Amino acid sequence: MASVITFGEIMLRLSPPSNLRFVQTDSFDARFGGGEANVSFALSNFGVDTSFVTKLPKNDIGQACINELRRYGVDVSNIVLGGDRIGIYFLEKGASQRGSKVIYDRANSSISQCSKEDFDWDKIFDGAKWFHLTGITPALGKNVAEVCIEACKKAKEKNLTISFDLNFRKKLWTSKEANETMSKLMPYVDICVANEEDAEKVFGIKAKDTNIIEGKLSHEGYKDVAKEIVDRFKVKKVGITLRGSISASENLWSCMLYNGSEYYFSKEYLIKIVDRVGGGDSFAAGLIYSFLNGKDDREALEFATASSCLKHSIEGDFNVVTVDEVMTVYNGDASGRIQR
Amino acid sequence: MASVITFGEIMLRLSPPSNLRFVQTDSFDARFGGGEANVSFALSNFGVDTSFVTKLPKNDIGQACINELRRYGVDVSNIVLGGDRIGIYFLEKGASQRGSKVIYDRANSSISQCSKEDFDWDKIFDGAKWFHLTGITPALGKNVAEVCIEACKKAKEKNLTISFDLNFRKKLWTSKEANETMSKLMPYVDICVANEEDAEKVFGIKAKDTNIIEGKLSHEGYKDVAKEIVDRFKVKKVGITLRGSISASENLWSCMLYNGSEYYFSKEYLIKIVDRVGGGDSFAAGLIYSFLNGKDDREALEFATASSCLKHSIEGDFNVVTVDEVMTVYNGDASGRIQR
Amino acid sequence: MASVITFGEIMLRLSPPSNLRFVQTDSFDARFGGGEANVSFALSNFGVDTSFVTKLPKNDIGQACINELRRYGVDVSNIVLGGDRIGIYFLEKGASQRGSKVIYDRANSSISQCSKEDFDWDKIFDGAKWFHLTGITPALGKNVAEVCIEACKKAKEKNLTISFDLNFRKKLWTSKEANETMSKLMPYVDICVANEEDAEKVFGIKAKDTNIIEGKLSHEGYKDVAKEIVDRFKVKKVGITLRGSISASENLWSCMLYNGSEYYFSKEYLIKIVDRVGGGDSFAAGLIYSFLNGKDDREALEFATASSCLKHSIEGDFNVVTVDEVMTVYNGDASGRIQR
Amino acid sequence: MASVITFGEIMLRLSPPSNLRFVQTDSFDARFGGGEANVSFALSNFGVDTSFVTKLPKNDIGQACINELRRYGVDVSNIVLGGDRIGIYFLEKGASQRGSKVIYDRANSSISQCSKEDFDWDKIFDGAKWFHLTGITPALGKNVAEVCIEACKKAKEKNLTISFDLNFRKKLWTSKEANETMSKLMPYVDICVANEEDAEKVFGIKAKDTNIIEGKLSHEGYKDVAKEIVDRFKVKKVGITLRGSISASENLWSCMLYNGSEYYFSKEYLIKIVDRVGGGDSFAAGLIYSFLNGKDDREALEFATASSCLKHSIEGDFNVVTVDEVMTVYNGDASGRIQR
Amino acid sequence: MASVITFGEIMLRLSPPSNLRFVQTDSFDARFGGGEANVSFALSNFGVDTSFVTKLPKNDIGQACINELRRYGVDVSNIVLGGDRIGIYFLEKGASQRGSKVIYDRANSSISQCSKEDFDWDKIFDGAKWFHLTGITPALGKNVAEVCIEACKKAKEKNLTISFDLNFRKKLWTSKEANETMSKLMPYVDICVANEEDAEKVFGIKAKDTNIIEGKLSHEGYKDVAKEIVDRFKVKKVGITLRGSISASENLWSCMLYNGSEYYFSKEYLIKIVDRVGGGDSFAAGLIYSFLNGKDDREALEFATASSCLKHSIEGDFNVVTVDEVMTVYNGDASGRIQR
Amino acid sequence: MASVITFGEIMLRLSPPSNLRFVQTDSFDARFGGGEANVSFALSNFGVDTSFVTKLPKNDIGQACINELRRYGVDVSNIVLGGDRIGIYFLEKGASQRGSKVIYDRANSSISQCSKEDFDWDKIFDGAKWFHLTGITPALGKNVAEVCIEACKKAKEKNLTISFDLNFRKKLWTSKEANETMSKLMPYVDICVANEEDAEKVFGIKAKDTNIIEGKLSHEGYKDVAKEIVDRFKVKKVGITLRGSISASENLWSCMLYNGSEYYFSKEYLIKIVDRVGGGDSFAAGLIYSFLNGKDDREALEFATASSCLKHSIEGDFNVVTVDEVMTVYNGDASGRIQR
């Protein structure tokens, strides 16, 4: 019986090795990843029982994906087999002034073809405490959005805490469509997570004095953003990741949390990037872990920030770090010294 | 101006390195391949000007595919950009008693979404002598089948020789559907190519005394098959590849040619397999090269057989061999001695 | 609740890539394997619930091992953490006339340091039907041998079927020591598995007219071996794998089964070897699967033989094949044809 | 018909993978590169028709080189086959305080053995607008220098713009020899390109207040250098790349352009280096593209600088970037943000 | 006849490729390393005749280790074969805020099982000038500590200079045990080397105003440390490496030398780390080389610092740099410019 | 002091990984090899002190070559540094009917530029017993041929046994040139080694009833060849390797020895080829080892044949096998069984 349930798409991720560009490579590193799966994955590493709910094709690639989740301890018993294919995303890693590049090939994935009949939420949520999903899932199609709403309803009935990461994807829908669908989901949400761009893209809530392209983010501006989300949607807490993009190789990383009364800003880390995908998911997982374990808001924010900072040093979407490793950074040792 | 035009789908081919199975790998070797592209590729290596016609998505993966064709000298100026995605096929190489395994993920590829407007056959065929396509292309969709028929009509008008490889794919259509569509295409065909299974699967023409699973193929049986194809469809020549499957690591390989009066059977080769995909395409390319260069039927058959024998020793769909290399085997030196 | 319990050592397996020798390599492929783990692994692929019992060190290498088992669906909840290290074996793959070479570095592994207190067999066997172990486990030390005896006793009490693979390892103990300890364990055994050498090495039961070095094995000789094992130890069935070593690249592979009245000899396969480690374990797993699923002796033998034949085509100790894949070979298609 | 013709040597480039030193490696990454080929390559990526003129040996390594050029769209129809060998250069990538290291093995390359009879410049320049070469080509031998002069003469006759990159190579000739030969070529040159060291090494024109070893470059000093080149050789424009070497892993990169009246200095980029070879060639290609497309001097300089800045993030000699990608940086987004 | 003798353990070092974590990898890069071996290795690269004394198992892994030493010119004629195994250490490279991680599996290594009979120090030291060892060796066991003492005695008798690197390893012994044993060894030592932590861990001598976790090291504090070591143990010189840990990817690196009267502090380098293991050993080797070649204290310090700075840019434990390469940095060119 | 001296060229060998063709690869496996170096290498593995004499360029590639020799115990103290470059050969491994392909790029190598002054044969041969060289060395140039003659003279004076492998290379000289030069060398030769083609190519001595292309070799024919060599040149023994080329993947391998009175034919091995380069050199080394160790002619032949049979299972030119491993095959166990 899992404590935390996540629901969404997991994709096959294909990336050229080292620094090669798409047109240079003759092989791809093959991994799996997706917003909600990444959260389950990180939580499992933290020792939390977690189940990832999705639909995957009944073939060896689907099986390889299930195996990968299982390998890291994520419960896969709620995964439905069927549909045509696993979604794919191609990732080219950037370097210096050249940004990373993603090509999505996710249309007609099994999960995008799912229907209400595929999932028995009553059973899935049995004994669970938390439900997490992201703005990617309802964007996969009207059918999937409906499944999301149904799941949220059921989760609320069963008193689960619901966290939601806005995660806007412009290739999947327009801001208008996102706003429309998300507005139906937000009433169920307890904790809203976003990055430095999402709130504007989804709800038109823009941070003042901020220029994302130049990597300059204003604390004051994000206070307003957080406040407006709380005011508009009555969520309990808003967590926002603040990425200062210096280059594809170096980022500044800090996060904020607003609980309706206090604004907390975390320590800021200067990160040498190994793999930046899944940073936001690690932050969400850090918050969920913290709140499930009774940490207060400041502690939760710092834990989640340290955790997501570490994600950037790890290959793949998945945040392969333990609680102990996060705590080392949380406790102030971010010097990367060797541990013999 | 290309002598030989081919039309069809080219896919991204993803295969685990060495002998790994799908569920064991964390990387894929990335190549490109597809029946007609393989023929163009082989011809280009033989020094024949050839143009491959298809539709590819306007993204870096599509570009990488174009680059790969260009790299080996195939003309890409008739490739149309557009549509959603490049088709993908996953290939797990077999060994010993374990057969190779293919998972197709080709639905909704750009070429399957093409329409008549995409191709100006009049211009494409300008100055060309030969048009080749396979049974895979019309199987991609009714729209594509119509484009095939239109192309064949135009090719006939312009006096091109048309070769057609039956290439039945049971994941794309049923035997009934294949029969129906192919029957419309066969009237245009001059040279029909097939493997040891196709004629039965597409037209219900079965070779007597043959057990493909046990790798036992009867010469007499295939004479009848070839004769019936000629009789039924009035094609000028029929070429059939005869694969004797000993194991995934070893095959017997020979071919036959029937020209309406004489039956020719080639030398038989015992092959240690490096990569068996594209064997039939190499045979077709060998025939086309031979007939374009005035070889007689026996010579053409032996050249095409030697060429396709060599294909099995080469990684990928593409037959990276020169005319000189084929001639070494054709002339009797199949001993694989070192060339210093 | 697992149907089949296995108990033993799982090691980190380090092998130079491709055909490199130990003194040539600057990297090792890293996998995990061990007699009983291999059996659990194969069974899990066949859809059988199975739990592997062992002791592993509490560090990241131990965790990686647990993850690998988990990845393929083996239950790891009975694995005890503690002790000093994971055993290691270095494997250099042979080719042609050069045999494969194993260097063991398994002394002082966590499992070799285990004690009775580490395992609660009552709980482990709860709901289980079958217990499998091999001659390697009691050879790890007197303490481990005692744990084996205790486990067997408990398994018998709870009416589990017990299978035992003799698996003699001359680096771990002498024939005399093996004979002594094994003689205490055999009374609990229902099904005994051995290879062409074990019976002689452990019990001094030699097959007549057999020269293992030259790869010549006599059916009649092995009938006698099987009969003597049954007569001496009152086991119900004896399964023996018969490897005809042509070279490091090619083996003949067949198996026999004796049930106290009938002798069955399986089909013989000529194998091109990818990785021969774990062949015997796959055979044992094939028998267990078959008997759990009500197959008769001949069917069980052929299933187990086909399954272990396929193992030789797969990298690593683990037999990554499904029941369907085994059944293809079982049903006579060992031609390794491509499956599209 | 190509717009831009380049002429020079292309070499096989062999570099140890990742950070390995020459004496540590047992494999080499194999690429191709050379000053003028790099320019053609970059231009082809920008959509400019371009033909690279050289001489290559008639063997499979020569063919692989042709294929690589063809792959990225460079016209190879003016490449002559013959001569003994392809030149080779070994490249060890530096890191931190350890500089990159090049070992040339280019003597007796096919191109160094070329003669006037090998190239029909009248035909090669037919329809072309621009001719580019570098100081490496005439340094290959007196015969090659003569071919260069002949080509320049013919290019002038046919009204092509001629750009010339000084590119001094001390392993090929002395400053004295360079000065002598270059002085014969400069009268044909319209646009001269150089790096922070070339002018001094070739013409003895030294920048004041500059210490290249310490990575300190003076703007004023380079104004004087540019002015003296214009004054002495009557070229129309001089472009100079200014590399501030912080370490082998980090460089400052900016460029200047002088048109005889105005001095322009570009934005300066702090670069995390993936591969620094070909930076200057990318700058030259950026200028050529800009001037062919009617950009003004300032725009041309910034485009060329942004383009060559991006080159440093790309493996190999070749600058695999599109105009759109350069324009992103040109327009101020050098933050390397992910593009989904 | 070697000038410099070193004695200690050399281990097989297994590290996941690139940035992978232990639980992510399915292969290990295999190298060899160990404090004293690293010193011999570096000296051999500097052209110094050096012999590494150890005990290794008589198997192919031991042989591979001998070959690796031999490859780089280290004399192996004093290596004794025997014992059970080679020690292993697993190294996971850190990045950014995530520190590198070492898992030792060195218990029961052949060298830890050595006895006085294994080594004939009289013969080993014949003609030698210098003996170097580290605090790791006596920590391997009481037997090994005794061998160390015996060797030191003999070395003193024969007038060798003895250098000793404190190199505290908390997994091998406690500070108390270290203090006890080291105190017996220090009377023989001429030159003591330590890092920023060792003196505190071994002798309880702590640097004031220093916070190693935050990477802030006080020059004044280390003067006191050096002075106390000299005062307490009457060594002639103390060299200390001062690592300022910014992150796992970036370190500040400088060193100090105290000769009983003067304190010298070297230039400080900002290092982008490729591989930080062996930094201290490179420093020790730099000092030994310098003093053997008559450099004065300041020169020796700067040479040793430049040398160990370069080590961080090189894969593996071994410092693959030549004297010329060190001198480039020593002479002020730390800009990592390309050397053509 | 080495027992066996060899003299010749060692080249950098670059081969595409696995089965890739030259035009498909983007990396090369880098090894070193050459006829005489291969002999020294094999002997060193057999525990014989051996020194390889050559000239190599003074750069990091030359150093890497020296290191590789040193790694396997070959004495490198007689290697002279100087000259322009190391020779290179590109090797594409064949498979099945496709033969392996070698492209030489060895002109102007340092050794081909050597002169008599480079080598002090008096000193080199001091204490040695055997001198080995091959027909490749004198083919490198008249200067090198003269050095060979001088060395042979000196070797004779000092009573060394001289073995000579004909090793004809048609890219280096014509049969006529070979005959001329070799005829001057043969008077010094004690033991002549050849393969199935050399005698014909060099001396016009053809084996009757033999068709090398079809892999059919006649024992009687080679008796005549051996006899004629002995008769014509008064050598003491002639060893001939007899390769029956079935395909690039499979060869038959046996050898013969004629001592002027008896003809011995070895056992014949069916080999699955990993790497066939260096087979003849391993045979020569096997003979040298045998005769140095007092084996009789039949023993020597079988040892040398077993040794060279094993070479085919090993990557690279070098025969990485021990005497024990050869003896296993010699003693009849060529079954490639696993050695635990």
Side-chain angles (χ1 to χ4, degrees), chain A residues 231-242:
Chain A
D231 290 353
R232 204 189 288 181
F233 301 108
K234 312 300 168 206
V235 303
K236 290 183 194 128
K237 296 173 204 233
V238 174
I240 303 182
T241 59
L242 302 169

Side-chain angles (χ1 to χ4, degrees), chain D residues 55-183:
Chain D
K55 186 168 188 175
L56 283 170
K58 198 176 163 58
N59 64 27
D60 285 359
I61 309 300
Q63 186 62 47
C65 179
I66 287 173
N67 286 7
E68 189 69 3
L69 289 162
R70 209 154 57 171
R71 176 183 184 182
Y72 291 99
V74 175
D75 175 68
V76 298
S77 63
N78 293 311
I79 294 178
V80 178
L81 292 184
D84 288 346
R85 63 186 298 260
I86 190 169
I88 295 176
Y89 84 96
F90 296 90
L91 169 68
E92 179 187 277
K93 286 202 199 164
S96 208
Q97 282 75 14
R98 176 171 58 80
S100 292
K101 210 167 169 178
V102 170
I103 297 176
Y104 287 109
D105 177 18
R106 67 199 302 178
N108 303 303
S109 67
S110 294
I111 182 65
S112 79
Q113 300 167 336
C114 75
S115 66
K116 292 192 180 180
E117 289 64 39
D118 283 324
F119 309 105
D120 178 352
W121 293 107
D122 221 18
K123 182 156 156 271
I124 291 168
F125 287 140
D126 190 37
K129 297 182 184 160
W130 199 290
F131 181 47
H132 176 80
L133 77 175
T134 81
I136 300 167
T137 312
L140 296 174
K142 300 226 153 160
N143 53 329
V144 192
E146 277 168 37
V147 174
C148 289
I149 291 170
E150 197 205 3
C152 283
K153 252 186 226 167
K154 183 60 72 178
K156 263 285 98 104
E157 274 176 42
K158 303 191 81 141
N159 278 318
L160 277 75
T161 303
I162 298 180
S163 54
F164 196 100
D165 185 338
L166 294 184
N167 244 343
F168 180 73
R169 289 287 180 272
K170 71 168 185 278
K171 296 271 174 64
L172 290 177
W173 56 5
T174 62
S175 287
K176 186 161 167 294
E177 292 169 321
N179 193 349
E180 224 173 273
T181 300
M182 294 285 221
S183 296

